[in-house]
Amino acid sequence: MASKLMKTLNSSIVKKQMMAVSGLMLCGFLVSHLIGNCLIYVGAEAFNTYAHTLITNPLIYLAEAILASLFLFHIGMGIRLTVENRKARPDRYFVKQHSGAGATFASATMPYTGLIILAFLIYHLINFKYGPYYTISHGGVEMRDLYRLLIEYFSAPLNVFIYIACMVALGIHLSHGFWSAFQSLGVDHPKYTPCIKLIAKLYAVAMTVGYSALPLYCYLAKGGY
Amino acid sequence: MSDKNNMTLNLKIWRQEGANVKGSIVDYRLEGVSPDMSFLEMLDLLNENLINQGQDPVAFDHDCREGICGMCSLMINGQAHGPERETTTCQLHMRKFKDGDTIVIEPWRAKAFPLHKDLMVDRSAFDDIMSAGGYVNVSTGNAQDANSILIGKDKAELAMDAASCIGCAACVASCKNASAMLFVSAKVSQLALLPQGQEEASTRVQNMVSKMDDLGFGNCTNEAECEAQCPKGIKISNISRMNREYLKASVTAHH
Ligand code: FES
């Protein structure tokens, strides 16, 4: 029984499907994180209070643990699949040409955009979550001044540039990954599939533009703080 | 002036004596190629010249030469079965090329397809997958009266499309992961779509996929390069169907 389960979990199809499910869940996280970040446009108090409410809720540890496991799982499985796939063709072709009708830039670069996102993730946590701890008091409550950290951090054009470049990589990754997840799970229909492919593109653009707008806003608004 | 009925080609062909020796790309200059020749006839001409010069001819697979057996293979300028869509190597004609062209010819490359010689690889891994479940065991008796088993036209067509797979393995060759998903999904689909195949549907998909994994094929990353280079135009919607069938079998089957 257990060996049967292991065999299923290690099958090429279920590995893809686990990749799909973890990927889609991370897609959900991206949306919620972006919506929360949009409070930056409202102002320092709204954003700091939101962040404060989030991190003082004891359930945050559970949420963070789940999120971290999702990321680690998706990354680990991605690396494992890539290594297995390389092994499946030990001798490379002398010449290899895309047909033009199958592979796209996004599909061909999934492992690379994935690694860029991983590097960004580490960098992101170091800069913000574990970055300088400023405090401020809003309405008599002492809390972390993340707003100030953001404005300071994004006053450097290089930081803005790196951030946006990583968001472009993220968008490319999502444009293939989002649709791909549905294909792996067996969701396919002559009418809905083109729709899902379109949603994948729109979603990827929305995430890249949405996340890139924040550092740009901070950079341009830095004088106003 | 170049005569367009008499082309000269620069061929770069993978030559390898046997499975365990190192191979390399060897350059050949071939004159007198007619645009009416098929790609394999062009290779026949080269081999004739090589034999006349006392050299070892280039080994390549072929059988029917009419696009139905799936024996011919060849990676031509980096594309499985060459540049023409939905066309096998044997049905590819030299009019697709120009006088003075350089053509790189390589064998299918995958860990699961060990190389025999030159351009010939051992594709018996596909036979192994078929023996793992690509058939119907239940006795279907004598030929049924027409319309005694009702099958919707749409289902029948999908099954027929899947059944047009000739097992040439262009999908594996063109996939950057050397995955056999398109082949296996076509075989799973053609039976899963019809009532006679239902009985064993869940064991079939599990056994065939597990065989495919054991043989060392890669994992699909949904690039669809296989669909684009399949000489029979098999669609990756078959892969989606197999993913679905597999998931269903994994959570419901009692074995
Ligand atoms: S030789 Fe039979 S399909 Fe090409």
Side-chain angles (χ1 to χ4, degrees), chain B residues 3-9 33-42 83-84 87-101 103:
Chain B
D3 177 359
K4 81 181 215 333
N5 288 315
N6 186 356
M7 307 192 289
T8 299
L9 299 173
V33 176
S34 149
D36 295 335
M37 283 178 174
S38 75
F39 199 85
L40 297 184
E41 282 165 341
M42 181 276 291
E84 199 170 1
T87 306
T88 54
T89 296
C90 60
Q91 293 292 294
L92 175 68
H93 284 82
M94 297 315 292
R95 49 181 166 269
K96 279 278 147 190
F97 300 90
K98 289 191 307 293
D99 185 40
D101 270 2
I103 307 177

Side-chain angles (χ1 to χ4, degrees), chain A residues 1 7 21 29 55 63 87 120 130 139 152 155 161 184 206 214:
Chain A
M1 190 60 212
K7 197 166 168 59
V21 172
F29 162 72
I55 53 179
K87 277 201 202 128
F120 169 78
Y130 302 106
E152 267 184 19
S155 64
F161 175 78
S184 295
L214 295 167

